[in-house]
Amino acid sequence: MLINTILVGALAAVAHAAQGTLQQMTGDFGPNPTNTFMFFYKPAQLANPPSLLVAMHFCTGTAEAYFTGTQYADLADQLGFIVIYPQSPDGSGGCWDVHTNATLTHNAGGDSLGIASMTRFAIDNWGVDANRVFATGTSSGAMMTSVLMGAYPDLFKGGAGFSGVAFGCFEGPDAWNEQCALGERIMTPQQWGDLVRSGFPGFAGQRPKVQVWHGTADTTLFPQNFFEEIKQWTNVFGYSATPISNITNDPQAGYSFATFGPNFEAILAQGVGHTVPEHAENVLEFFGLS
């Protein structure tokens, strides 16, 4: 499969109208080995101190597309948090590096280090509350969200991914991993959990909470990836693989909302393909930002 065909996000057709404009950080914001781009949105009225949301686009996407195609900036206007919209490097096809050892390892390089640098810059220079920093993304952006949860658990307090894969599932020499995409990379919960723990060896702090969304009709990243994510994160958090609650038709008809513990939720959308539309208000509620 050609890389420029993968992970094309199906954002809602209706554009959202934030009160302000998307801005680009043109100066140095820290180590950025792959030359990722930093765009951001600051609402006119910031909370004191403001929280931070890092919102990452789908493959073939841009920061502008995710800014206009999702509700996060609108909600930032209402709630006073800052949004960083990273943009993948030139020549990447608009996709994120979620496969190299560098990007999967704390402070080792790859796109993830550039995003971590943006996050650290915001904390150090914009007065962001370091205890309220979160990440979300769609498709390739969901995959990067998972990468950040494993490689930078010291920076992020939570992540929500729409139609992604488990941390490390795309690991390998090539940007596209057919085995993972087809849902054929099957491992035990312990093996998946160990991959997350390998992202930041020796990390002993509290792990960021995780929320994952997937559609049963996804033929780009097959639904088995959703169940591998459940194996992974229940192992990381030490939860049973059996949810403590599973509510049908929540947050809308055809969705099943499973809670495994306070730090992990998994939502399966019946009949939905690639990708599950962003449910921004549910994401912010999970993060405690709403």
Side-chain angles (χ1 to χ4, degrees):
M1 183 178 292
L2 295 175
I3 191 163
N4 64 1
T5 68
I6 67 173
L7 311 185
V8 178
L11 291 177
V14 177
H16 300 282
Q19 295 175 10
T21 59
L22 186 66
Q23 301 178 67
Q24 183 175 2
M25 176 69 185
T26 56
D28 179 19
F29 53 79
N32 184 22
T34 60
N35 295 318
T36 59
F37 298 96
M38 179 178 177
F39 291 82
F40 61 93
Y41 181 73
K42 284 187 180 181
Q45 297 295 323
L46 287 175
N48 185 22
S51 302
L52 177 67
L53 179 66
V54 178
M56 291 165 288
H57 64 74
F58 46 90
C59 197
T60 76
T62 63
E64 178 70 29
Y66 215 55
F67 169 68
T68 59
T70 60
Q71 291 181 290
Y72 298 117
D74 306 12
L75 293 167
D77 284 332
Q78 299 173 33
L79 300 171
F81 60 87
I82 298 170
V83 190
I84 289 177
Y85 295 91
Q87 184 168 300
S88 57
D90 290 339
S92 67
C95 305
W96 295 105
D97 167 18
V98 295
H99 71 99
T100 66
N101 183 68
T103 204
L104 292 166
T105 306
H106 185 75
N107 284 344
D111 293 352
S112 68
L113 178 54
I115 296 170
S117 293
M118 300 174 196
T119 304
R120 290 167 174 152
F121 179 89
I123 294 169
D124 293 342
N125 295 276
W126 294 343
V128 165
D129 183 349
N131 291 312
R132 293 173 64 81
V133 176
F134 305 94
T136 189
T138 297
S139 192
S140 185
M143 296 161 77
M144 179 53 78
T145 299
S146 181
V147 168
L148 295 174
M149 296 304 100
Y152 294 93
D154 57 326
L155 281 179
F156 295 92
K157 302 306 177 185
F162 290 84
S163 305
V165 301
F167 175 92
C169 190
F170 259 48
E171 180 182 20
D174 301 318
W176 176 254
N177 187 313
E178 189 80 359
Q179 182 190 35
C180 178
L182 294 176
E184 295 174 353
R185 187 168 187 187
I186 309 297
M187 299 200 298
T188 67
Q190 184 69 39
Q191 288 171 323
W192 280 124
D194 285 346
L195 270 183
V196 171
R197 289 180 283 271
S198 73
F200 190 169
F203 177 74
Q206 183 173 340
R207 293 278 172 180
K209 62 195 318 189
V210 174
Q211 184 186 71
V212 298
W213 303 67
H214 218 101
T216 62
D218 194 331
T219 57
T220 301
L221 297 174
F222 277 51
Q224 183 61 36
N225 285 296
F226 174 77
F227 299 104
E228 299 305 303
E229 288 181 292
I230 290 174
K231 289 182 190 177
Q232 183 169 71
W233 294 109
T234 52
N235 178 267
V236 168
F237 292 119
Y239 295 157
S240 168
T242 301
I244 57 177
S245 69
N246 194 1
I247 305 172
T248 58
N249 298 318
D250 183 25
Q252 66 185 67
Y255 284 52
S256 298
F257 199 114
T259 300
F260 294 83
N263 293 321
F264 181 54
E265 297 176 346
I267 301 92
L268 187 63
Q270 293 294 326
V272 176
H274 193 77
T275 58
V276 175
E278 297 81 8
H279 286 64
E281 292 184 355
N282 293 92
V283 169
L284 297 190
E285 181 180 1
F286 178 63
F287 292 158
L289 293 181
S290 61

